[in-house]
């Protein structure tokens, strides 16, 4: 399977509509991106059951900003709408294959449980922070 170009218009449809998506954030002027591009393409031919997508960060700055992409190329793997891997740098072919293998081996029930637990902890911290701010606001001196 060849790669798909991701844009802000088709991003949700492609990522939500597929269980396993590899995303290459890149730009035309980027030397390491040019090195990684053929590796990514070859891998897409090997793994026909996965979606390989590319985001041109020059044409799609909103997508790059939404994922806080600060260095290119950056490879992201999204499984069942959860980003399970994100790393900048041009991976050699063997490393890319290893990452794909590890992402395939993930128990997504465990990943979802871990994400839910982290979200619950964050919600609790946010709530405690808000309570602390309310307590400070109410503890002003009275004359």
């Amino acid at each position: 399977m060849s790669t798909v170009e991701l844009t802000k218009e088709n991003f949700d449809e492609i990522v939500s509509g597929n269980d396993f998506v590899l995303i290459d954030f890149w730009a035309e002027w980027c030397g390491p991106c040019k090195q990684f591009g053929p590796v990514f393409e070859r891998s897409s031919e090997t793994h026909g059951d996965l979606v390989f997508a590319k985001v041109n960060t020059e044409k799609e700055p909103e997508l790059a900003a939404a994922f806080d992409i600060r260095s290119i190329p950056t490879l992201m793997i999204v499984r069942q709408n959860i980003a399970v891997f994100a790393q900048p740098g041009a991976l050699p072919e063997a490393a890319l294959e290893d990452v794909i293998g590890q992402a395939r081996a993930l128990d997504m029930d465990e990943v979802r449980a871990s994400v839910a637990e982290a979200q619950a902890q964050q919600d609790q911290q946010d709530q405690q922070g808000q309570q602390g701010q309310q307590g400070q606001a109410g503890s002003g001196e009275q004359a």
Side-chain angles (χ1 to χ4, degrees), residues 5 13 22 25 32 35 39 41 65 70 74 93 97 107 109 122 125 141:
E5 183 177 346
E13 175 188 340
L22 292 94
F25 290 88
Q35 287 179 308
V39 171
E41 281 291 332
R70 298 179 186 274
T74 289
E93 204 154 343
E97 291 302 314
D107 179 334
D109 289 334
Q122 183 63 49
Q125 288 174 352
E141 291 182 35

Side-chain angles (χ1 to χ4, degrees), residues 88-99:
L91 293 175
E93 204 154 343
L96 177 57
E97 291 302 314
D98 184 50
V99 167

Side-chain angles (χ1 to χ4, degrees), residues 5 8 30-31 33-34 42 48 54 62 70 75 82 86 89 98 105 111 115-116 119 129 132 134-135 138 140:
E5 183 177 346
K8 63 184 177 188
C30 167
C33 298
K34 290 178 183 178
R42 280 192 301 276
K54 295 177 81 68
E62 298 92 349
R70 298 179 186 274
L75 175 67
I82 300 171
D98 184 50
V111 171
V115 168
Q119 184 62 53
Q134 290 171 353

